[in-house]
Amino acid sequence: MATEPPRRIRFGILGCANIARKVSRAILLSPNSTIVAIGSRSLDKAIAFAKENDYPASAKAYGSYDAVLDDPNVDAVYIPLPTSLHLQWAVLAARKKKHVLLEKPVALNVGELDKIVEACESSGVQYMDATMWMHHPRTAEMKEFLSDSLRFGQLKAVHSIFSYNSGTDFLTNDIRVKPDLDALGALGDTGWYCIRAILWASDYQLPKTVTAFSNVEYNESGVILSCGASLQFRDNKLATFYCSFLSNLTMEISVLGSNGFLRVHDFVIPFQENVGPFNVNANTKFAELSIGIEPAPTEYSIETDLPQEALMVKEFASLVGEIKENGSQTEKKWGEISRKTQLVVDAVKASIEKGFEPIEVIV
C-alpha cells in the first residue's frame, strides 16, 4: 500500500519586498511547501503580487500583516520586512505559533535577536534565517575539503568579499540605505554574508576581537555604504572581509590552510542556478625551476536539481513538518548560528563607532 506524501507546509508571506519574489518561487519549487497567504499594508498590492508571482489560486491576499498571522491555515511565515520591523513581527508570529523564516540581517542587534529566538523557543516553533548559500550542496562539499587534515590541514586565514554596485536609484531609494528601515546598511546586508562565511570556515568559533578598518563610506544619512574589518582568533588564525554597495558585483571566499587552499567566486548566488563550482589547491609546491606549481588546482562543479533557496525552504519545511507531525523538538543550531553572526556584526559596528578600536566579542 502506497504511503501518502507528507503534507506541504503552508506559508504566509509578510510584505511584498523584491526578495519575496525569489523566495516565493522557492517555496513553490520545494516539494514540501506551498503558499496560502500574502499580506501587505495595501490589499491591492498583495493581490497584484500574488498574481505576478503565480501564487496558487487558493492563496489569500490580505491588506495587513496581522491577517496573515491570524489565518489558521498558515503554518509558517517568511518575513522579508525591513530589519527595523523584524523584532515586532517575528515575535508576534512566534507567539501566534507560526514558524519563522526570517530574512537577513535578522535584527538590528543581538539583543533584538535574542528576543526573537526566545519567542520562537517559548512557542515551540522553528526559527531559521534566510542565508541561502548555506543550503547549497556545494557548501557541504567545500566543508568536507576544509575538514581534510591531509589536503587542507589547519585553518590559517579567511578572506571574504561581497559587494555590488546597483546605481544611483538604489543608493537613493532602497530600504537598505534608509536609517529608519535598515540602519546597518552594507554591514547588515553584504557584510552579513561575509561574516557568516568566516564563521562557517571556522566551524563557528567566534573571534576574540574584531577591528573595523578606517575606510568606511557613508551616505548623507550616516548609513554605511562600504566597510571592512579584521577578526583575530585565539588560535592565531586571521580573517578579513570587505562589504560594499559601491563596488562591482563580487562574491568571494578564500580559505587558506597549512596544507591547502579553497576559493569560491560566487558563494552568495551561484553564477548558474543549477551548478556551484569551487577550486582547491592541496599540498602545493613550486615545480622544478619554479616555472609553475604542482599539483595543479582542482575545480569541482556541484550540481543541484533545486536552486539553493528552494533547498533552504525544503530544509526549513522538513523541520516544521517533523515538529507538526511527530512532535519533534525545534532545531536550535539555526538560532545559534544567527546569533554568532549577529555578535560579529555588532562588534564591527561598535568598532566603527569607537574610532576603529578592537572590540572583544563577548558571548
Side-chain angles (χ1 to χ4, degrees):
M1 183 175 179
T3 58
E4 292 186 9
R7 185 173 65 83
R8 290 176 180 263
I9 299 305
R10 301 166 297 178
F11 273 84
I13 313 296
L14 299 192
C16 301
N18 189 52
I19 188 63
R21 295 171 57 225
K22 181 174 184 174
V23 176
S24 293
R25 173 177 177 262
I27 293 169
L28 297 176
L29 282 173
S30 174
N32 60 349
S33 59
T34 190
I35 299 171
V36 297
I38 171 74
S40 171
R41 291 172 296 177
S42 162
L43 178 58
D44 289 342
K45 190 173 182 180
I47 293 170
F49 190 87
K51 183 177 181 180
E52 292 164 2
N53 291 280
D54 298 319
Y55 280 19
S58 57
K60 295 180 179 178
Y62 294 112
S64 71
Y65 307 142
D66 284 296
V68 175
L69 300 184
D70 289 334
D71 187 330
N73 292 316
V74 171
D75 300 314
V77 291
Y78 167 61
I79 304 178
L81 299 172
T83 310
S84 61
L85 299 178
H86 284 188
L87 176 62
Q88 174 188 352
W89 290 104
V91 168
L92 186 57
R95 288 175 178 169
K96 296 200 173 187
K97 306 296 184 181
K98 310 300 185 186
H99 302 268
V100 175
L101 180 61
L102 187 59
E103 195 51 64
K104 28 62 37 205
V106 291
L108 293 175
N109 54 63
V110 77
E112 287 191 356
L113 177 58
D114 285 345
K115 292 176 183 177
I116 292 170
V117 174
E118 181 183 355
C120 290
E121 291 182 355
S122 296
S123 293
V125 298
Q126 184 62 48
Y127 163 90
M128 182 184 285
D129 71 49
T131 308
M132 300 171 186
W133 73 273
M134 301 293 298
H135 305 271
H136 196 292
R138 170 176 64 181
T139 304
E141 293 285 340
M142 293 192 298
K143 175 56 75 172
E144 185 175 329
F145 173 74
L146 297 183
S147 302
D148 189 327
S149 60
L150 296 178
R151 299 176 68 215
F152 182 76
Q154 183 181 0
L155 177 62
K156 294 294 186 180
V158 188
H159 181 60
S160 183
I161 301 173
F162 183 21
S163 65
Y164 55 84
N165 185 346
S166 294
T168 55
D169 183 66
F170 175 93
L171 294 173
T172 302
N173 299 313
D174 196 89
I175 64 169
R176 284 164 282 190
V177 298
K178 302 293 185 183
D180 57 331
L181 298 175
D182 269 301
L184 294 172
L187 173 60
D189 184 44
T190 55
W192 175 275
Y193 288 93
C194 297
I195 291 166
R196 174 62 61 84
I198 291 168
L199 293 173
W200 165 80
S202 306
D203 289 330
Y204 299 103
Q205 176 191 359
L206 283 167
K208 180 181 180 181
T209 60
V210 172
T211 308
F213 300 136
S214 60
N215 57 336
V216 183
E217 296 178 270
Y218 305 91
N219 66 10
E220 62 277 2
S221 300
V223 175
I224 294 170
L225 300 181
S226 74
C227 69
S230 63
L231 287 63
Q232 298 81 37
F233 292 80
R234 287 176 173 81
D235 57 2
N236 291 324
K237 63 175 171 279
L238 175 69
T240 56
F241 76 87
Y242 173 73
C243 62
S244 177
F245 291 154
L246 303 173
S247 303
N248 187 63
L249 176 59
T250 301
M251 303 176 286
E252 293 264 346
I253 309 173
S254 298
V255 190
L256 178 64
S258 54
N259 298 331
F261 179 74
L262 178 147
R263 173 174 285 160
V264 56
H265 296 293
D266 58 352
F267 83 99
V268 178
I269 300 172
F271 295 152
Q272 299 180 63
E273 189 174 62
N274 63 343
V275 62
F278 66 98
N279 295 278
V280 305
N281 297 61
N283 301 296
T284 314
K285 309 293 183 185
F286 287 115
E288 185 72 20
L289 302 180
S290 297
I291 58 175
I293 65 167
E294 55 186 29
T298 303
E299 180 173 2
Y300 295 92
S301 293
I302 310 303
E303 296 183 354
T304 177
D305 293 331
L306 288 173
Q308 61 183 13
E309 60 270 20
L311 293 171
M312 173 187 74
V313 171
K314 183 181 177 183
E315 181 164 0
F316 176 77
S318 178
L319 292 171
V320 173
E322 285 295 317
I323 294 166
K324 291 181 67 65
E325 302 296 331
N326 301 320
S328 300
Q329 297 296 308
T330 58
E331 175 54 78
K332 293 181 172 53
K333 76 172 184 179
W334 295 111
E336 293 166 358
I337 292 171
S338 284
R339 191 175 195 275
K340 289 183 176 182
T341 310
Q342 188 74 51
L343 279 169
V344 178
V345 170
D346 289 2
V348 176
K349 183 171 181 285
S351 180
I352 292 170
E353 292 172 345
K354 295 183 178 181
F356 311 104
E357 294 181 359
I359 302 295
E360 185 177 358
V361 178
I362 300 173
V363 178

